[in-house]
Each structure stands twice: as C-alpha cells, then as structure tokens.
Amino acid sequence: LVQLAESGGNSVQAGGSLRLSCAASGYTYGLYCMGWFRQAPGKEREGVAAISTAGTPTWYADSVKGRFTISRDNAKNMLHLTMNSLKPEVTAMYYCTRSGGSWCSQAAKDYNYWGQGTQVTVSS
C-alpha cells in the first residue's frame, strides 16, 4: 500500500522559513518522480516543485524559484521542501505526490498518489 505522509507545516510570519517533509512507503521510492503541489482556499491545486528519481533535474513553479528547494533522500524514502523568504501568498495546503513513473510532470493528473497534506500559513 503506497503511503505518503507529510509533516512540517506551520504558521509563520512573512520572511520566515519552513521545511516540509514527506515519508513515503509501500513502493520502491527511488524509481519514481516526486512532487509537491499546493491548494489555497478557492483556488485550483497547482504544482510547486518536482524532482526526478536521482535528485536532478528539478522543476519549480516560477513563483517559488530561488526561494524553495526540493530534495529527496532515496536511502530514507524521504522528500523535502525547504521554503525560505515566505510570503502570505504561499499560504495553502501542501501535498506530497508520487508520479506515475520515473518522469516528472507539472500536471496534477500525472501524479497518482497523494498525501493528506500539511498546512502552511504565512501572516504579514
């Protein structure tokens, strides 16, 4: 049974930092692209970052480039998202996702397993 469990969400002030983590289990972690998506109230789910099986290449949404870093530890079946210089507009539920294969995509439809999400709230 594939399971993805996020942690690390919190309420912080603008300019702060957070590190989200995702523990994966139930499959051969290193064979699949992993990603982070987010969904704010009243908005569609959007891709934030993705990382290929070996850790490179990576992809970022334009709005987070230079401030967010996605990483993975294949030995520990872990995925991370380090978020710096946080702004109120990044407030959302953040989801860890697993792609349908080794390839990475920006489209939510190409990710077939999702965690329950972890809430990130940034106040001004």
Side-chain angles (χ1 to χ4, degrees), residues 12-20 63-69 81-87 90 122:
V12 298
Q13 291 198 329
S17 298
L18 283 174
R19 189 190 195 210
L20 306 184
S63 61
V64 306
K65 283 180 180 176
R67 297 186 296 117
F68 288 15
T69 302
L81 184 69
T82 302
M83 306 186 295
N84 296 318
S85 302
L86 288 168
K87 302 177 181 179
V90 309
V122 181

Side-chain angles (χ1 to χ4, degrees), residues 33-117:
C33 172
M34 298 292 294
W36 288 98
F37 282 72
R38 66 187 178 192
Q39 188 166 20
K43 294 187 178 181
E44 292 188 357
R45 193 169 293 192
E46 63 174 348
V48 175
I51 186 167
S52 62
T53 55
T56 184
T58 55
W59 168 85
Y60 296 93
D62 288 342
S63 61
V64 306
K65 283 180 180 176
R67 297 186 296 117
F68 288 15
T69 302
I70 189 171
S71 60
R72 65 188 296 163
D73 185 337
N74 286 350
K76 296 181 179 180
N77 290 5
M78 294 293 296
L79 179 72
H80 304 286
L81 184 69
T82 302
M83 306 186 295
N84 296 318
S85 302
L86 288 168
K87 302 177 181 179
E89 52 261 41
V90 309
T91 293
M93 185 72 78
Y94 282 71
Y95 297 91
C96 170
T97 66
R98 196 202 82 172
S99 174
S102 60
W103 38 266
C104 285
S105 166
Q106 303 171 29
K109 65 177 179 63
D110 293 326
Y111 292 81
N112 52 6
Y113 288 96
W114 298 75
Q116 293 298 308

